[in-house]
Amino acid sequence: MNAETHGIVREVEERLRVMGLDISASGQIDGVQNLGIWDAELQRRDTSWRRPVLAAIVPSMTLSSYDQIPWPAGDGRPRLLIGPRVTTQSADRFRALGVNFVDTVGNAFIRDEALLIDVRRPGGAAVSTASAPGDVNLFSIKRSQVLFALLTWPGLVDAPLRRIAEASGVSIGLAKEVVDHLSQRSGDVRDLWPGGRSRDRFVDQWVAAFPSGLGASRRTRRFVAQTLDVGPADGVQIAVSGERGAPWIRSPETLSVWVRPWDPMVAVRNRWRSIGEPNVFVREMFWRAPSAGDASITLAPPLLVFAELMAMNDSRAREAAEEIRSRTGLVDA
């Protein structure tokens, strides 16, 4: 264990003690060296609660770093991520995916059927973790757009980079960066196809990142409407999503739409008001479907509808989301 890693472990041990927990390590997994993975056990000092875990130390607390850890196959023990200060955005993504973590300043999320520790230190959003060499955050907003396009239209995997960039709404250079990084991580970008070994993992991570990225409140216009029907506006493409994109939800309470370009006449023609409790949410469309038709109002791609429903944290919405996943495979036909 080098000095930097030793320092991280000592600081995390101190943070856990404040939470009433001790951590002990019994050695490395299967003799694997220099990977920062240990057999460990968490113990709560005021109860008999104990849990064996796989503890991994990373130089940056990001989903990309977590995904690169060589976790032992078939080991069902909970995983615990340890590292330097995590950003608020990454911490939210870990929580959404159920990833246990503790950082050096005391941010923590540890959950099982008998224990929940959720510590959120103030000021986390203003701190960026250092990136390891070659570490790329695939779930930053622009890269998320590329991943969205590849998951939604799997045929793009074999398309020229220009077409991938057009469908994603990004530059060719950024599209190439994402494709290259996916190839390095998965071995074959075709693993994103339905049935591929990497697809479900990337879908779940993309959905977890959606509320603080592409679906963030800062990127959303809010209105109040008496009816949740949406009518056209000249020169504006509209894609319906969220509850209105799920026909299994009876009496939807909200309307979500994506538009290109944004035009205030959309609100005027649909009689949306800006005062009151919002039930209409509008974001700007970032994608271009490879086989887009001429209709001015369409249904948003299934992956986007799924992500918005999951972000609602509502049992009815989650049931509808799982129905969409089951019926479409989250692929836009």
Side-chain angles (χ1 to χ4, degrees):
M1 185 185 298
N2 61 35
E4 181 180 2
T5 300
H6 182 75
I8 290 174
V9 171
R10 290 293 299 273
E11 289 187 55
V12 166
E13 286 177 337
E14 290 296 324
R15 304 307 175 192
L16 286 170
R17 288 192 188 100
V18 172
M19 302 171 205
L21 294 176
D22 289 323
I23 185 169
S24 58
S26 58
Q28 290 182 301
I29 298 295
D30 297 330
V32 177
Q33 300 295 317
N34 301 319
L35 295 176
I37 303 176
W38 287 271
D39 284 306
E41 183 179 74
L42 287 171
Q43 177 182 359
R44 188 159 184 171
R45 277 177 273 136
D46 58 352
T47 71
S48 61
W49 183 89
R50 292 172 176 265
R51 285 294 181 274
V53 297
L54 294 179
I57 299 176
V58 292
S60 60
M61 297 280 274
T62 63
L63 278 174
S64 178
S65 291
Y66 173 80
D67 195 43
Q68 293 177 34
I69 297 169
W71 301 104
D75 194 309
R77 284 173 291 176
R79 299 170 178 178
L80 177 66
L81 198 64
I82 293 171
R85 187 169 192 165
V86 65
T87 64
T88 298
Q89 186 179 55
S90 289
D92 288 344
R93 292 172 182 173
F94 287 141
R95 290 184 179 95
L97 288 170
V99 175
N100 299 311
F101 67 87
V102 184
D103 73 3
T104 53
V105 296
N107 292 293
F109 179 75
I110 301 171
R111 180 177 64 184
D112 74 358
E113 66 277 4
L115 178 75
L116 173 62
I117 292 177
D118 191 352
V119 181
R120 309 178 189 220
R121 303 284 292 182
V127 180
S128 297
T129 54
S131 295
D135 188 19
V136 172
N137 178 13
L138 285 174
F139 304 96
S140 65
I141 287 177
K142 287 296 185 180
R143 295 189 186 101
S144 282
Q145 293 178 200
V146 180
L147 191 53
F148 168 84
L150 295 173
L151 291 168
T152 297
W153 301 289
L156 286 175
V157 167
D158 292 322
L161 284 170
R162 175 183 52 79
R163 287 189 60 199
I164 296 174
E166 289 174 353
S168 309
V170 302
S171 68
I172 293 176
L174 186 57
K176 183 179 187 303
E177 178 190 78
V178 173
V179 170
D180 288 348
H181 194 69
L182 286 169
S183 297
Q184 293 170 9
R185 287 175 64 174
S186 301
D188 189 344
V189 184
R190 291 175 183 81
D191 283 342
L192 297 181
W193 285 355
R197 62 182 179 180
S198 300
R199 180 175 174 84
D200 285 346
R201 171 165 51 88
F202 278 114
V203 164
D204 290 342
Q205 292 182 356
W206 191 91
V207 170
F210 176 82
S212 58
L214 289 166
S217 59
R218 67 183 182 278
R219 300 170 60 86
T220 306
R221 293 180 172 88
R222 297 169 179 78
F223 300 96
V224 181
Q226 292 184 340
T227 174
L228 297 182
D229 294 327
V230 58
D234 292 342
V236 178
Q237 291 177 275
I238 300 174
V240 178
S241 188
E243 288 186 285
R244 292 288 288 178
W248 307 279
I249 294 183
R250 297 180 180 179
S251 304
E253 299 176 355
T254 62
L255 168 67
S256 174
V257 296
W258 297 73
V259 302
R260 182 172 47 239
W262 164 246
D263 187 331
M265 287 304 298
V266 176
V268 172
R269 294 196 175 184
N270 285 284
R271 298 182 180 180
W272 297 340
R273 296 177 289 109
S274 57
I275 299 176
E277 184 66 25
N279 60 352
V280 177
F281 304 92
V282 183
R283 303 181 183 93
E284 294 193 43
M285 194 183 301
F286 60 87
W287 72 91
R288 292 184 183 274
S291 57
D294 297 327
S296 59
I297 300 179
T298 59
L299 187 64
L303 177 57
L304 202 55
V305 180
F306 178 79
E308 291 200 52
L309 291 172
M310 293 296 288
M312 293 177 69
N313 288 321
D314 173 82
S315 59
R316 184 180 68 159
R318 284 182 177 272
E319 288 178 7
E322 292 302 336
E323 186 71 22
I324 289 173
R325 188 170 194 164
S326 174
R327 294 197 181 199
T328 68
L330 304 182
V331 171
D332 190 28

